[in-house]
């Protein structure tokens, strides 16, 4: 007996990512697109979607998730802007819906997930680490969700290894020249037309540096991860943050 396709809705369907997800879902035999909504459209239009993919805006995503969880719909979320407070609220909402899954991934590209994992492995061996992320100039948030997630993973690995802050002789600085600090790791954001999504994770130690770089040169790079998320989330209850958990890295 063949299984019926998973019914999928997309929020942010007219955006750069949402439109790409709509195409990817339409091209997958085991998935069926049942709704494609954008800003200003009633969430009732999601109909009988089992899983909703959200690529909207950091200001919109929590409202969408409250609605989805309230209506018993699984969610795969690429939208950025998640803080510990937001994650705690979602865990609270999901506690009342033990069968429901929400997967939030700051980055759905396989290479980006691997780069973060490699960086976490390298972190304890180097005195200093800094992250540079480079994106198209229509991006709303800085630093990128990926860079913030990377910095948090490196920060946790450094703390576990008992590393002191990296040596830095800077005594005078133009505001922002040394980037933003996320969990003790400096993060620098570049915005340029022509770019898609890029990240360099740089480590410095005694007489050497290590650079781990990932480039998404097309938004199709995110689609295998998004589709994997849709297929996985229906049988993965609770809140999962990071595609690395689905890939068992
Ligand atoms: N996790 C990942 O792998 C990736 C995450 N992103 C993130 O996804 C988000 C969207 O990125 P883009 O597609 O480049 O932005 P975009 O601006 O091209 O698209 C966002 C779309 O969402 C719509 N929207 C806004 N509020 C909405 C609401 N309440 N309900 C339904 N639709 C709404 C907008 O009208 C727009 O069409 C950003 O947070 C970005 O950082 C982007 C690429 C990959
Ligand atoms: O806005 C984007 O484009 C991207 N957003 C995500 C992020 O903020 O990390 C993922 C990827 O970098 C593309």
């Amino acid at each position: 007996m063949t299984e019926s396709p998973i019914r999928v809705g997309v929020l942010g369907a007219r955006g750069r990512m949402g439109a790409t997800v709509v195409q990817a879902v339409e091209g997958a035999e085991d998935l069926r697109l049942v709704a494609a909504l954008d800003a200003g459209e009633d969430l009732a239009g999601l109909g009988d979607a089992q899983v909703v993919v959200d690529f909207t805006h950091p200001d919109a995503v929590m409202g969408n998730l409250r609605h989805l969880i309230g209506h018993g719909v699984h969610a795969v979320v690429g939208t950025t802007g998640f803080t510990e407070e937001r994650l705690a609220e979602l865990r609270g909402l999901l506690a009342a819906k033990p069968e429901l899954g929400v997967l939030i991934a700051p980055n759905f590209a396989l290479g980006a997930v691997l780069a973060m994992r490699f960086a976490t492995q390298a972190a304890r061996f180097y005195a200093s680490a800094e992250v540079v992320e480079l994106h198209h100039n229509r991006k709303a948030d800085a630093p990128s969700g990926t860079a913030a997630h990377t910095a948090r993973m490196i920060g946790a690995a450094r703390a576990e290894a008992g590393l002191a802050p990296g040596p830095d002789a800077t005594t005078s600085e133009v505001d922002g020249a040394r980037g933003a600090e996320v969990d003790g790791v400096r993060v620098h954001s570049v915005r340029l037309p022509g770019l898609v999504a890029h990240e360099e994770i740089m480590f410095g130690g005694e007489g050497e540096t290590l650079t781990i770089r990932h480039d998404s040169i097309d938004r199709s790079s995110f689609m295998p991860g998004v589709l994997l998320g849709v297929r996985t989330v229906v049988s993965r209850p609770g809140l999962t943050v990071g595609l690395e958990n689905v890939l068992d890295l």
Side-chain angles (χ1 to χ4, degrees), residues 122-189:
R124 69 190 165 97
F125 297 106
Y126 289 91
S128 301
E130 304 211 3
V131 177
V132 183
E133 55 94 342
L134 310 91
H135 280 81
H136 59 94
N137 61 336
R138 285 179 292 173
K139 183 164 177 58
D141 53 321
S144 70
T146 309
H149 195 64
T150 308
R152 280 188 218 109
M153 288 167 84
I154 293 172
R158 287 176 60 86
E160 199 180 318
L163 290 179
D168 179 355
T170 310
T171 51
S172 95
E173 180 191 352
V174 173
D175 250 8
R178 293 287 292 115
E181 203 172 310
V182 178
D183 287 5
V185 177
R186 296 275 170 186
V187 181
H188 311 266
S189 298

Side-chain angles (χ1 to χ4, degrees), residues 185-228:
V185 177
R186 296 275 170 186
V187 181
H188 311 266
S189 298
V190 176
R191 297 290 176 264
L192 290 173
L195 294 174
V196 178
H198 317 261
E199 183 179 48
E200 273 192 15
I201 307 142
M202 304 169 78
F203 296 97
E206 194 63 46
E208 65 164 314
T209 64
L210 168 68
T211 302
I212 299 169
R213 180 173 173 120
H214 175 258
D215 297 277
S216 273
I217 54 177
D218 189 274
R219 289 186 176 79
S220 58
S221 60
F222 303 111
M223 293 306 113
V226 172
L227 298 188
L228 175 67

